[in-house]
Amino acid sequence: MVKELQLRVNLVEERKDNILQLKASKKLGIPIADITSVKVLRKSIDARKKEVIFNYKVAVYINEPQPDTPDYIFEYQDVSNAKEIHIVGFGPAGMYAALRCIELGYKPIVLERGKNVQDRRRDLRAINQFHEVNPDSNYCFGEGGAGTYSDGKLYTRSLKRGDVRKIFENLVYHGATDQILVDAHPHIGTNKLPKIIQNIRETILKHGGEVHFETRVTDFIVKNNKLQAIQLQNGTEMAVNAVVLATGHSARDIYELLHKKDILLQAKSFAMGVRVEHPQEIIDQIQYSCSGERDELLPAAAYSLVHQVGNRGVYSFCMCPGGFIVPAATANGEVVVNGMSPSRRNNKFANSGIVVEINVDKDLPKYEKYGALKGLQYQKDLEKLAFNAGGKSQVAPAQRLTDFVEGRLSSSLNDCSYQPGLNSSPLHSLLPKLIGSRLRKGFAAFGQKMHGYYTAEANIIGVESRTSSPVNIPRKESLEHPQIEGLFPCGEGGGYAGGIISAAMDGERCAEAAVANL
Ligand code: FAD
């Protein structure tokens, strides 16, 4: 017999080896010897009260063995000689589109402008140390896309859009810890992601798919509203049956190309702001109501904050406990920050994007002349502003949190995880009012919600501008572009995803749609 139970375990109990068996036997009123095993289905931490509680959802196997079969069996067939589907971009959307093609018996041909994960590392070092941004290989571009050197947080709100569990199981199949199947806030970490991504590439190659790195798509050849071919940066033209366009939200050249070719695009609302960084210890003390260091059984604490300022939301985005702030620009002449963390989340800082909603219909009247690219242009201008304020390198403009809110230049800054360095700047007056004044009110309100959060020991760093796509590439119900037969806009770049998991699920859906169309 199998029984599902909810169990609550405190910090002292959590240290005991067989605590789940003990609690289960007590709750069910059966001898512990009758329990064959206890399988954890879900684990979360509740730190809202003084006593931290681990909440477990478990399946208790009583006098019967626990089966050893996974929920999903991944069967990939040989597609070497199958019909081809071209996939542009090898981020989460492109990777999962390729895997799904193979499952369905089609041959994915992936074209990725960046390098493989190993070679990409060298270009990341060049950004951090020499402030040189390779426009084809950086924190956003290259094998695994923006998801590789990321935090690897795996939660998504897009539960209706696909099978989240299948993506998680597939990540485990490719080397992720099975802990992600039970954690309420699953996370992989930037040190583990490259190997998993490499394994996914190997699955694709082993079954007859193709992955071409350093291969940028520069044009689409359309005849009679049908996509006939794609052109690569070396001038080669490739005839295509169907193209899954999974180029991510930083492929500005793709948006500009489509716009120039009069292929329908729409401006999309998005969010921008800054990244805030606190000592992790401060966040732990607030969230776990402790003084000094957190208990070793507890992970670096996270937070999620939101406050309405006037008619716009100000909210935390991509919070990285025990993480690093990274330079996520995709070209020289811009400064963009983002966050990542290693699997153990053991760095001494906690960082998070704090962003303001930008309504493209109401907030950008001066940008109307850019049409569908108005949000993109605004984003570019803000990144250029950050570049100039930082001192025209990857050094980022920064301010102590309290100085930003109270409107004065910081005479000194706190230590920070951002490798290229910081330059004290008056961000309170430099940022457009639309963003700056809302952020200042938002931060003050956050200080009321989390006592200790509003502190001079925190820095804010500019700018957090690539939270989501400022452009939407429309598609019909069949997921095909309304004007161009054979073109399937996909993932975050199309405006259909906002993170690793939602992008992966959209990749699967677009592969299915492309196959259905052949
Ligand atoms: P992308 O990952 O952006 O991939 C697009 C790919 O297309 C890139 O590899 C690019 O090189 C390629 N490409 C672009 N143009 C061309 C072209 N013309 N020809 C050929 N190839 C091209 N999300 C989470 O869910 N959790 C996190 O913890 C998290 N942390 C992040 C941390 C950082 C530092 C960054 C930058 C992002 C983070 N994200 C996180 C966001 C997440 O990475 C993205 O939402 C996700 O990667 C989007 O997937 P995608 O496949 O749609 O696009």
Coordinates of all heavy atoms in Angstrom, one line a residue, residues 271-275 307 313-317 352-357 435 439 446 464-465 467:
A271 N 10.1 45.4 -18.4 CA 10.5 46.0 -17.1 C 12.0 46.3 -17.1 O 12.8 45.5 -17.7 CB 10.1 45.1 -16.0
M272 N 12.4 47.4 -16.4 CA 13.8 47.7 -16.3 C 14.0 48.3 -14.9 O 13.1 48.9 -14.3 CB 14.2 48.7 -17.4 CG 14.2 48.1 -18.8 SD 15.3 49.0 -19.9 CE 14.3 50.5 -20.1
G273 N 15.3 48.3 -14.5 CA 15.6 48.9 -13.3 C 17.1 48.7 -13.0 O 18.0 49.0 -13.8
V274 N 17.4 48.3 -11.7 CA 18.8 48.1 -11.3 C 18.9 46.8 -10.6 O 17.9 46.1 -10.4 CB 19.1 49.2 -10.3 CG1 19.1 50.6 -10.9 CG2 18.2 49.2 -9.1
R275 N 20.1 46.4 -10.2 CA 20.3 45.2 -9.4 C 20.7 45.7 -8.0 O 21.5 46.6 -7.9 CB 21.3 44.3 -10.0 CG 21.2 42.8 -9.5 CD 21.6 41.8 -10.5 NE 20.5 41.3 -11.3 CZ 19.8 40.2 -11.1 NH1 20.1 39.4 -10.0 NH2 18.8 39.8 -11.8
H307 N 5.8 46.0 -4.9 CA 5.1 47.2 -4.4 C 4.5 48.0 -5.5 O 5.2 48.2 -6.6 CB 6.1 48.1 -3.6 CG 5.5 49.2 -2.9 ND1 4.6 49.1 -1.9 CD2 5.5 50.6 -3.2 CE1 4.1 50.3 -1.5 NE2 4.7 51.2 -2.3
G313 N 3.9 48.5 -11.2 CA 4.5 47.7 -10.2 C 6.0 47.8 -10.2 O 6.7 48.0 -11.2
V314 N 6.6 47.8 -9.0 CA 8.0 47.7 -8.8 C 8.3 46.4 -8.1 O 7.6 46.1 -7.1 CB 8.5 48.8 -7.8 CG1 10.0 48.7 -7.6 CG2 8.2 50.2 -8.4
Y315 N 9.1 45.5 -8.7 CA 9.2 44.2 -8.1 C 10.6 43.6 -8.2 O 11.4 44.0 -9.0 CB 8.2 43.3 -8.7 CG 8.3 43.1 -10.2 CD1 9.0 42.1 -10.8 CD2 7.6 44.0 -11.0 CE1 9.1 42.0 -12.2 CE2 7.6 43.9 -12.4 CZ 8.4 42.9 -13.0 OH 8.5 42.7 -14.3
S316 N 10.9 42.6 -7.4 CA 12.2 41.9 -7.4 C 12.1 40.9 -8.6 O 11.0 40.3 -8.8 CB 12.5 41.2 -6.1 OG 11.5 40.4 -5.7
F317 N 13.2 40.7 -9.2 CA 13.3 39.8 -10.4 C 14.6 39.0 -10.4 O 15.6 39.6 -10.2 CB 13.2 40.7 -11.6 CG 13.4 40.0 -12.9 CD1 12.3 39.3 -13.5 CD2 14.6 39.9 -13.5 CE1 12.5 38.6 -14.7 CE2 14.8 39.2 -14.7 CZ 13.8 38.6 -15.3
S352 N 19.6 40.9 -6.5 CA 18.3 40.7 -7.1 C 18.1 41.9 -8.1 O 18.4 43.1 -7.7 CB 17.1 40.7 -6.1 OG 15.9 40.6 -6.8
G353 N 17.4 41.7 -9.2 CA 17.0 42.8 -10.0 C 15.8 43.4 -9.3 O 15.0 42.7 -8.7
I354 N 15.7 44.7 -9.3 CA 14.5 45.4 -8.8 C 14.1 46.3 -10.0 O 14.8 47.2 -10.4 CB 14.8 46.3 -7.6 CG1 15.4 45.4 -6.5 CG2 13.5 47.0 -7.1 CD1 14.5 44.5 -5.8
V355 N 12.9 46.0 -10.5 CA 12.6 46.6 -11.8 C 11.2 47.2 -11.8 O 10.4 46.9 -10.9 CB 12.6 45.6 -13.0 CG1 14.1 45.1 -13.2 CG2 11.7 44.3 -12.7
V356 N 11.0 48.1 -12.8 CA 9.7 48.9 -12.9 C 9.1 48.5 -14.2 O 9.7 48.4 -15.2 CB 10.0 50.4 -12.9 CG1 8.7 51.2 -13.0 CG2 10.8 50.8 -11.7
E357 N 7.8 48.3 -14.1 CA 7.1 47.9 -15.4 C 7.1 49.1 -16.3 O 6.8 50.3 -15.9 CB 5.6 47.7 -15.1 CG 5.3 46.3 -14.4 CD 3.8 46.2 -14.0 OE1 3.1 47.2 -14.0 OE2 3.5 45.1 -13.6
I435 N 11.6 55.5 -14.2 CA 12.2 54.4 -13.5 C 12.7 54.8 -12.1 O 12.4 54.2 -11.1 CB 13.3 53.8 -14.4 CG1 12.8 53.2 -15.7 CG2 14.1 52.7 -13.6 CD1 13.8 52.7 -16.6
L439 N 11.6 53.5 -8.5 CA 12.5 52.6 -7.7 C 12.7 53.1 -6.3 O 12.7 52.4 -5.4 CB 13.8 52.5 -8.5 CG 13.9 51.6 -9.7 CD1 15.3 51.7 -10.3 CD2 13.6 50.1 -9.3
F446 N 10.0 48.6 0.4 CA 10.6 47.2 0.7 C 11.2 47.2 2.1 O 11.2 46.2 2.8 CB 11.7 46.9 -0.3 CG 11.1 46.6 -1.7 CD1 12.0 46.6 -2.8 CD2 9.8 46.4 -1.9 CE1 11.5 46.4 -4.1 CE2 9.3 46.2 -3.2 CZ 10.1 46.2 -4.3
E464 N 19.6 47.0 -14.9 CA 19.0 45.7 -15.2 C 17.9 45.9 -16.3 O 16.8 46.4 -16.0 CB 18.3 45.2 -13.9 CG 17.5 44.0 -14.0 CD 18.3 42.7 -13.8 OE1 19.4 42.8 -13.1 OE2 17.9 41.6 -14.2
S465 N 18.3 45.7 -17.5 CA 17.5 46.1 -18.6 C 17.0 44.9 -19.4 O 16.1 45.1 -20.3 CB 18.3 47.0 -19.5 OG 19.5 46.4 -19.8
T467 N 15.2 42.1 -18.8 CA 14.4 41.2 -18.0 C 13.5 40.3 -18.9 O 13.2 39.1 -18.6 CB 13.4 41.9 -17.0 OG1 12.7 42.9 -17.8 CG2 14.2 42.6 -16.0

